[in-house]
């Protein structure tokens, strides 16, 4: 399978997690999870970067965020990024890549490596605004099967 070339500009916007092998999203304790990517202005010869905001709701309905910065690892084939946390999470980092992308970037498969606090796994995300498209959801769910990432509980936005 050819690896897609997915730049920060292509990832820009909000994506809903619909399938995941990540225990945090499968437990049902955190719902409505989204990734929002915002490309950052490049500085000289530095690699492409983007702000990364993971948002979700707790069981009580309270909104939470995990924020970081993703830097594209241009020396590696495909679309590989290193995430580094912001604030109290600044000591944490992980590596992830876009393994598949749907037509018109309606959905994508993000595969992430093990970190100090998380296992390796895969998330299938659907671009905000495409959740009501049955063909997009069918393709995204099929990608979840291919990557052993089952649908997450209550993935529909509130």
């Amino acid at each position: 399978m050819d690896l897609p070339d997915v730049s920060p500009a292509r990832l820009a916007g909000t994506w809903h997690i619909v399938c995941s092998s990540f225990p945090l999203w499968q437990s049902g304790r955190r719902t409505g999870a989204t990734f929002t990517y915002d490309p950052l202005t490049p500085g000289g010869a530095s690699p492409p970067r983007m702000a990364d905001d993971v948002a979700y709701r707790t069981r009580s309905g309270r909104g939470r965020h995990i924020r970081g910065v993703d830097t594209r690892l241009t020396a590696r084939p495909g679309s590989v990024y290193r995430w580094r946390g912001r604030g109290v999470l600044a000591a944490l980092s992980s590596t992830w890549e876009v393994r598949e992308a749907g037509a018109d970037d309606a959905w994508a498969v993000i595969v992430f490596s093990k970190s100090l606090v998380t296992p390796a796994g895969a998330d299938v995300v659907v671009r905000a605004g495409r959740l009501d498209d049955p063909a997009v959801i069918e393709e995204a769910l099929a990608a979840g099967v291919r990557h052993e990432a089952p649908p997450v509980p209550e993935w529909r936005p509130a």
Side-chain angles (χ1 to χ4, degrees):
M1 173 188 325
D2 290 333
L3 296 174
D5 181 11
V6 183
S7 67
R10 281 182 63 188
L11 287 169
T14 299
W15 301 77
H16 293 264
I17 302 172
V18 298
C19 298
S20 182
S21 63
F22 191 45
L24 189 72
W25 308 134
Q26 287 295 339
S27 71
R29 294 180 56 200
R30 293 164 183 89
T31 61
T34 62
F35 297 155
T36 300
Y37 300 114
D38 185 18
L40 298 170
T41 304
S46 62
R49 298 174 354 135
M50 60 190 165
D52 180 326
D53 181 10
V54 178
Y56 61 90
R57 290 182 307 279
T58 64
R59 274 192 188 157
S60 67
R62 192 169 184 174
R64 296 281 189 209
H65 295 267
I66 301 168
R67 293 185 174 99
V69 173
D70 298 304
T71 302
R72 185 148 185 196
L73 303 179
T74 54
R76 297 191 43 190
S79 302
V80 182
Y81 291 85
R82 173 163 295 120
W83 175 86
R84 169 120 4 235
R86 282 189 169 169
V88 297
L89 300 178
L92 299 178
S93 72
S94 65
T95 303
W96 61 272
E97 69 179 287
V98 179
R99 191 67 59 86
E100 288 187 58
D104 299 325
D105 295 330
W107 59 269
V109 176
I110 295 172
V111 175
F112 46 91
S113 63
K114 181 180 188 260
S115 75
L116 287 174
V117 295
T118 62
D123 292 329
V124 179
V125 295
V126 172
R127 191 174 288 283
R130 300 299 300 270
L131 289 171
D132 291 329
D133 185 332
V136 168
I137 297 303
E138 183 178 335
E139 290 175 14
L141 294 174
V145 170
R146 286 192 299 277
H147 292 274
E148 299 179 4
V152 296
E154 303 178 40
W155 57 265
R156 290 257 179 214

